[in-house]
Amino acid sequence: MVKQERAARTRESLVRAAAEVFAEEGFTAASIAVISRRAGVTSGALHFHFDGKTSLALAVEERAARTLREAAAAQDRRGNADGPLRVLVGSTYTMLALLAEDIVVRAAFALCADTGHSSRMDLRRQWRLWAAELLVAAERAGQLAEGVSPLEATRLVVAVTVGLEGLAGVEPGRSARQLLTRIWTVVLPGIARDEAVAAVLAEASEDNETD
């Protein structure tokens, strides 16, 4: 049991170290030696757990995907009473916080866009599909504005939220959340009914003030 726990801690250290190095240097420039040193293990110990950089990158992406699924599930539970638009908006705040605070999530999104790495998990695509699912649900719930299709709404939402990575990286936490609130203040009236907009933005504003 002790040996298994130690192995798990080593693997965890390697995934985090790899995420840090990938985020700082990119996939191509990152080296096994630097990742090993950052994790405080030998290159041999690294290769005991991972075949190389590609398997490390996959582990980073898998960990990030799990974190996002857990965050999405939490938003689903929280937003159930207010409907799919509340879940959608709340999820963007969660994503912003994760990108700012969780190096594994930030590195995984960077890996998806890294031309030197063939990502097996496109987190941006997962976000697009989930947003589409929520907007279809919003249409069924009568929350979308008349004449707005879920497809059109998805394209707009994805287009305006694709910059969350950059926003999380250059803005202090509170400022980034305030800017995201402003983005939704502009976008929501274009895709949702007035009553849905008022309810969602009121809660988003309250959340922003309490953070």
Side-chain angles (χ1 to χ4, degrees), residues 5-187:
E5 290 176 353
R6 185 165 59 246
R9 286 197 300 270
T10 299
R11 184 180 177 88
E12 178 70 23
S13 296
L14 285 166
V15 170
R16 182 171 183 82
E20 291 174 355
V21 177
F22 290 146
E24 293 167 8
E25 302 182 11
F27 180 80
T28 301
S31 73
I32 291 296
V34 172
I35 293 171
S36 300
R37 188 162 56 249
R38 185 76 62 93
V41 304
T42 65
S43 294
L46 183 152
H47 284 292
F48 177 80
H49 293 278
F50 298 99
D51 292 336
K53 282 200 303 181
T54 298
S55 60
L56 270 167
L58 178 59
V60 168
E61 291 172 325
E62 288 175 342
R63 177 67 56 80
R66 185 165 72 244
T67 298
L68 290 175
R69 284 195 300 270
E70 291 170 353
Q75 280 295 334
D76 279 334
R77 292 190 295 271
R78 181 182 179 189
N80 188 51
D82 294 317
L85 278 182
R86 175 65 188 88
V87 177
L88 179 66
V89 172
S91 297
T92 62
Y93 286 93
T94 300
M95 281 180 60
L96 183 65
L98 287 172
L99 286 164
E101 300 165 9
D102 191 322
I103 187 60
V104 176
V105 172
R106 190 158 67 248
F109 270 91
L111 284 168
C112 291
D114 194 323
T115 58
H117 169 64
S118 298
S119 176
R120 300 181 192 177
M121 270 184 195
D122 189 340
L123 298 182
R124 289 184 179 84
R125 181 173 182 273
Q126 290 183 26
W127 162 243
R128 183 172 66 252
L129 292 174
W130 193 52
E133 180 182 318
L134 287 170
L135 286 162
V136 168
E139 182 187 43
R140 291 172 180 162
Q143 290 188 315
L144 293 190
E146 185 175 352
V148 174
S149 72
L151 177 59
E152 292 172 338
T154 299
R155 286 171 176 165
L156 178 59
V157 168
V158 171
V160 299
T161 57
V162 73
L164 286 178
E165 294 166 71
L167 181 60
V170 301
E171 292 283 350
R174 183 172 176 80
S175 296
R177 289 181 65 83
Q178 290 172 335
L179 184 52
L180 182 56
T181 297
R182 178 58 181 158
I183 289 171
W184 279 118
T185 299
V186 173
V187 171

